[in-house]
Amino acid sequence: MKKLILGLSMMIAIGVSSAFANDELKVSDKVLSSFGKDFTLAKNVQWREEGGYIKARFTVSDMLIEAYYTADGEFIGSARN
Protein backbone atom coordinates (compact mmCIF):
# COMPACT_ATOMS: atom_id res chain seq x y z
CA MET A 1 0.00 0.00 0.00
CA LYS A 2 2.82 2.37 0.88
CA LYS A 3 4.55 1.64 -2.45
CA LEU A 4 1.34 2.36 -4.33
CA ILE A 5 0.83 5.71 -2.60
CA LEU A 6 4.49 6.63 -3.10
CA GLY A 7 4.36 5.65 -6.77
CA LEU A 8 1.18 7.65 -7.41
CA SER A 9 2.53 10.72 -5.65
CA MET A 10 5.75 10.52 -7.72
CA MET A 11 3.74 10.31 -10.95
CA ILE A 12 1.64 13.32 -9.97
CA ALA A 13 4.74 15.34 -9.04
CA ILE A 14 6.43 14.56 -12.37
CA GLY A 15 3.28 15.40 -14.32
CA VAL A 16 2.80 18.74 -12.58
CA SER A 17 6.44 19.78 -12.92
CA SER A 18 6.55 18.92 -16.62
CA ALA A 19 3.37 20.91 -17.25
CA PHE A 20 4.98 24.07 -15.87
CA ALA A 21 8.33 23.49 -17.59
CA ASN A 22 6.89 23.92 -21.10
CA ASP A 23 6.84 27.74 -21.36
CA GLU A 24 8.68 27.95 -24.67
CA LEU A 25 8.75 31.37 -26.35
CA LYS A 26 7.10 31.60 -29.76
CA VAL A 27 9.69 33.41 -31.92
CA SER A 28 8.43 35.16 -35.06
CA ASP A 29 9.52 34.11 -38.54
CA LYS A 30 11.18 37.51 -39.05
CA VAL A 31 13.43 36.99 -36.05
CA LEU A 32 14.23 33.40 -36.99
CA SER A 33 15.09 34.43 -40.55
CA SER A 34 17.40 37.22 -39.41
CA PHE A 35 19.04 34.97 -36.84
CA GLY A 36 19.59 32.23 -39.42
CA LYS A 37 21.35 34.66 -41.76
CA ASP A 38 23.48 36.21 -38.99
CA PHE A 39 24.52 33.04 -37.16
CA THR A 40 24.54 30.06 -39.51
CA LEU A 41 26.71 27.89 -37.23
CA ALA A 42 24.65 28.42 -34.05
CA LYS A 43 23.90 25.39 -31.88
CA ASN A 44 21.83 24.87 -28.72
CA VAL A 45 19.75 28.03 -29.24
CA GLN A 46 17.58 29.20 -26.33
CA TRP A 47 15.13 32.08 -26.78
CA ARG A 48 13.93 34.56 -24.14
CA GLU A 49 12.00 37.80 -24.20
CA GLU A 50 13.48 40.49 -21.97
CA GLY A 51 12.68 44.19 -21.74
CA GLY A 52 10.98 44.54 -25.11
CA TYR A 53 13.58 42.65 -27.12
CA ILE A 54 14.22 39.01 -27.95
CA LYS A 55 17.44 37.34 -26.82
CA ALA A 56 18.96 34.25 -28.39
CA ARG A 57 21.54 32.43 -26.30
CA PHE A 58 23.60 29.87 -28.20
CA THR A 59 27.04 28.44 -28.86
CA VAL A 60 29.35 28.66 -31.85
CA SER A 61 32.59 26.65 -31.68
CA ASP A 62 32.10 26.11 -27.93
CA MET A 63 31.80 29.88 -27.36
CA LEU A 64 28.69 31.20 -25.57
CA ILE A 65 27.04 34.07 -27.48
CA GLU A 66 23.93 36.15 -26.86
CA ALA A 67 22.25 38.01 -29.73
CA TYR A 68 19.51 40.60 -29.36
CA TYR A 69 16.69 41.31 -31.84
CA THR A 70 13.61 43.49 -32.02
CA ALA A 71 10.21 41.87 -32.58
CA ASP A 72 10.51 42.88 -36.26
CA GLY A 73 13.70 40.85 -36.69
CA GLU A 74 16.11 43.79 -36.61
CA PHE A 75 19.50 42.83 -35.16
CA ILE A 76 20.37 45.02 -32.15
CA GLY A 77 23.70 43.54 -31.11
CA SER A 78 25.50 40.58 -29.61
CA ALA A 79 27.81 39.70 -26.75
CA ARG A 80 30.12 36.76 -26.32
CA ASN A 81 31.63 35.23 -23.26
Side-chain angles (χ1 to χ4, degrees), residues 1-15:
M1 186 68 173
K2 288 181 183 179
K3 289 182 181 180
L4 178 64
I5 293 172
L6 180 63
L8 288 174
S9 62
M10 293 282 287
M11 288 175 49
I12 291 171
I14 290 171

Side-chain angles (χ1 to χ4, degrees), residues 26-73:
K26 301 294 182 192
V27 181
S28 71
D29 290 337
K30 292 179 183 179
V31 174
L32 290 174
S33 176
S34 294
F35 178 79
K37 291 175 188 174
D38 296 337
F39 301 99
T40 56
L41 300 176
K43 295 181 181 178
N44 304 320
V45 182
Q46 299 172 350
W47 295 95
R48 294 186 78 180
E49 188 172 4
E50 295 181 358
Y53 58 86
I54 299 170
K55 178 174 84 170
R57 186 176 202 168
F58 56 96
T59 57
V60 173
S61 301
D62 295 326
M63 185 179 350
L64 181 62
I65 301 174
E66 294 178 344
Y68 303 90
Y69 291 87
T70 64
D72 294 328

